[in-house]
Amino acid sequence: MKVMKFGGTSVGTPQRMKEVTQLVTKSGEPVFVVLSAMSGTTNSLVEISDYLYKKNPDGANEVINNLERKYERHIQEVFSTEEYRTLTRDFLRDEFNYLRSFTKELFTSFEEKSIVAQGEMMSTNMVVNYMKEQGINAVLLNALDFMRTDKNAEPDPVYIKEKLAAIMEQNADAQVYITQGFICRNAYGEIDNLQRGGSDYTASLVGAAISADEIQIWTDIDGMHNNDPRIVENTQPVHQLQFEEAAELAYFGAKILHPTCVQPAKYAGIPVRLLNTMQPDAEGTTISNTTEYGKIKAVAAKDNITAIKIKSSRMLLATGFLRKVFEIFESYQTPIDMVCTSEVGVSMSIDNSAHLGEIMDELKKYGTVTVDTGMCIICVVGDLDWSNIGFETRVMDAMKDVPVRMISYGGSNYNISFLIREEDKKRALQSLSAHLFND
């Protein structure tokens, strides 16, 4: 069985909902579908929550009314029979009345998560009703009945597998199983969400739980490209990536996929395909545990980086120096992207400068601290094992005219990273494409 996940734009209009139905049922085989909220819905739900936090129920009700009118228009276009229009309209009326009920109560983050979860509830109900109207044996499985996180806010795979298996067994004759992405319950039974990766994470967790043949992530982009198409002309989709390569690209700027959301698929050995609902016949990108040896695959960039250098003669042979430095970043919950060390200093880069002032004050206890802002990390991804003689030279040659603040190589077999000024990003990406992909 395949798992197919569709994002908000893929179900954002009545026509798109109908196209998704055709894609899902094309093979005639049983399939498990994960849906996001319709595009724009989650933003409206967050706006409703914002008004309620500010104790402005009138503002919240206005957004609710506008959203309800939008869904009413969709009902008229999606369904062709009055039976299913009425069925869906009654469900949505209850949904919007539920949203209105929050305008009369004390509002906290717990209520906000309940509000935001309703976007997926509405989209899945509409699609499953449309499928039933078309005579398709579709069943809606409530993600809150099986998707759960533990006390560390991490998914509970054993619970998910057991609960989902039991629910699917009760609906063994279904052709299409549909569930909500993103939402779950936490260890205390409260409505929560998966945060990192959202609906993609749901698809990966479901795929691992049911031992799927393949997990398909459908968006409006035809897979990961070998460079940023907004900056570099004639980029091409990368047809095959190893899971580690995909994670590197996702972390360093390829926003099509969150770096952690495919981990369950990786550990279960299930390939993930990134496909385009606008071009369903395009090959897209397949991510698996297979490595294509001897190939440089892609380039990605990450902006808004801050570089921090601490220089200290006391560092020489000082046991525990790096530990003390890293503990400062840990205490302010600030992850480090790149690290370079020498006998008298260490340079690091971060992408979250919220606590930069406090971090600098702490670091000054151990040495002289300098900071460079407005930086960018360029990441080159592929089979970059050190035994591949000359590969790093090709990459370095492409960067010969670009000032480089830091280089990271050897921490992974799959990337070389450069820290440069943001103003040099365009030149660097174009040069790398010319040297690595267009020769």
Side-chain angles (χ1 to χ4, degrees):
M1 183 182 292
K2 293 179 180 178
V3 174
M4 303 174 74
K5 176 264 174 180
F6 294 92
T9 56
S10 297
V11 291
T13 66
Q15 183 58 34
R16 295 273 176 83
M17 286 187 173
K18 294 176 182 179
E19 290 168 357
V20 163
T21 298
Q22 292 174 351
L23 284 171
V24 166
T25 57
K26 187 176 180 180
S27 69
E29 299 175 355
V31 64
F32 200 112
V33 178
V34 176
L35 295 182
S36 298
M38 284 173 53
S39 58
T41 299
T42 300
N43 288 340
S44 294
L45 296 172
V46 171
E47 186 179 6
I48 292 165
S49 300
D50 192 41
Y51 277 119
L52 294 175
Y53 273 125
K54 293 178 170 61
K55 302 188 187 311
N56 183 354
D58 292 339
N61 278 320
E62 186 171 341
V63 179
I64 293 170
N65 292 339
N66 289 337
L67 192 60
E68 187 172 25
R69 283 191 289 269
K70 175 183 175 181
Y71 273 83
E72 176 58 34
R73 291 193 299 271
H74 285 349
I75 288 173
Q76 295 298 326
E77 294 182 49
V78 170
F79 301 100
S80 57
T81 65
E82 198 56 40
E83 176 189 357
Y84 279 94
R85 282 179 183 152
T86 301
L87 183 68
T88 307
R89 188 178 290 117
D90 289 346
F91 171 80
L92 291 175
R93 184 181 297 114
D94 289 341
E95 281 287 302
F96 287 109
N97 286 336
Y98 175 67
L99 294 178
R100 290 185 183 97
S101 71
F102 288 97
T103 63
K104 306 182 182 77
E105 303 292 339
L106 177 68
F107 197 76
T108 69
S109 60
F110 296 107
E111 284 75 25
E112 180 183 14
K113 288 178 178 178
S114 295
I115 284 179
V116 173
Q118 301 316 305
E120 279 74 16
M121 293 294 190
M122 290 189 277
S123 65
T124 50
N125 184 275
M126 288 185 70
V127 171
V128 80
N129 282 351
Y130 174 73
M131 287 185 177
K132 288 179 178 179
E133 186 183 52
Q134 302 305 305
I136 300 164
N137 185 3
V139 60
L140 180 57
L141 309 183
N142 191 333
L144 301 180
D145 291 338
F146 62 87
M147 192 62 62
R148 188 178 77 170
T149 55
D150 58 24
K151 291 183 179 179
N152 296 316
E154 295 293 336
D156 186 340
V158 175
Y159 179 93
I160 294 168
K161 184 173 184 176
E162 290 177 354
K163 288 291 184 181
L164 186 53
I167 294 169
M168 290 182 69
E169 189 175 345
Q170 295 170 6
N171 300 276
D173 61 337
Q175 180 186 349
V176 180
Y177 301 89
I178 296 182
T179 197
Q180 301 86 13
F182 177 63
I183 65 175
C184 64
R185 290 193 187 275
N186 60 27
Y188 309 100
E190 301 157 337
I191 294 178
D192 210 326
N193 59 65
L194 295 172
Q195 298 177 0
R196 298 168 299 178
S199 296
D200 292 347
Y201 208 179
T202 301
S204 190
L205 290 164
V206 167
I210 67 173
S211 301
D213 301 319
E214 182 178 88
I215 298 167
Q216 298 179 352
I217 308 293
W218 291 82
T219 67
D220 54 359
I221 304 172
D222 52 345
M224 284 190 174
H225 278 234
N226 59 8
N227 211 322
D228 190 336
R230 298 167 299 180
I231 297 174
V232 180
E233 295 181 353
N234 302 317
T235 64
Q236 299 295 322
V238 181
H239 295 308
Q240 196 277 339
L241 288 169
Q242 203 263 6
F243 277 113
E244 297 290 343
E245 294 171 339
E248 296 282 7
L249 288 173
Y251 184 75
F252 284 103
K255 300 300 184 185
I256 191 173
L257 197 67
H258 193 282
T260 62
C261 72
V262 293
Q263 285 183 353
K266 172 188 173 182
Y267 297 141
I270 301 170
V272 176
R273 291 185 69 198
L274 308 180
L275 297 164
N276 187 352
T277 50
M278 315 303 168
Q279 296 178 310
D281 296 327
E283 184 177 347
T285 300
T286 298
I287 305 169
S288 68
N289 284 319
T290 301
T291 299
E292 283 190 305
Y293 295 103
K295 285 189 177 182
I296 295 176
K297 297 292 187 66
V299 180
K302 189 176 186 182
D303 294 328
N304 302 314
I305 301 297
T306 299
I308 303 170
K309 179 166 70 175
I310 173 170
K311 186 171 66 173
S312 173
S313 57
R314 291 179 295 165
M315 178 183 174
L316 187 65
L317 303 179
T319 303
F321 180 86
L322 284 177
R323 175 180 57 79
K324 293 173 183 176
V325 169
F326 291 150
E327 282 177 347
I328 292 171
F329 288 88
E330 182 183 5
S331 67
Y332 290 101
Q333 296 184 319
T334 302
I336 296 171
D337 290 321
M338 294 173 64
V339 181
C340 291
T341 64
S342 74
E343 289 293 344
V344 294
V346 55
S347 287
M348 297 147 291
S349 71
I350 59 175
D351 65 0
N352 179 2
S353 58
H355 298 287
L356 180 60
E358 298 99 313
I359 290 171
M360 287 181 63
D361 287 342
E362 294 283 343
L363 290 175
K364 285 177 181 177
K365 297 175 183 177
Y366 302 105
T368 304
V369 180
T370 56
V371 173
D372 295 312
T373 58
M375 307 297 284
C376 168
I377 295 177
I378 303 289
C379 176
V380 180
V381 167
D383 177 24
L384 291 163
D385 187 275
W386 68 277
S387 61
N388 292 333
I389 297 173
F391 275 42
E392 69 280 3
T393 305
R394 289 175 58 196
V395 179
M396 298 289 187
D397 190 49
M399 297 290 290
K400 65 182 179 182
D401 296 323
V402 179
V404 176
R405 168 72 171 74
M406 288 169 61
I407 299 174
S408 176
Y409 176 54
S412 160
N413 290 335
Y414 300 101
N415 90 51
I416 300 177
S417 295
F418 301 87
L419 185 67
I420 65 173
R421 296 175 302 196
E422 284 187 5
E423 62 199 68
D424 296 320
K425 179 175 79 168
K426 181 177 180 179
R427 184 154 53 109
L429 292 180
Q430 291 176 340
S431 180
L432 285 164
S433 268
H435 280 74
L436 301 179
F437 308 129
N438 297 337
D439 284 346

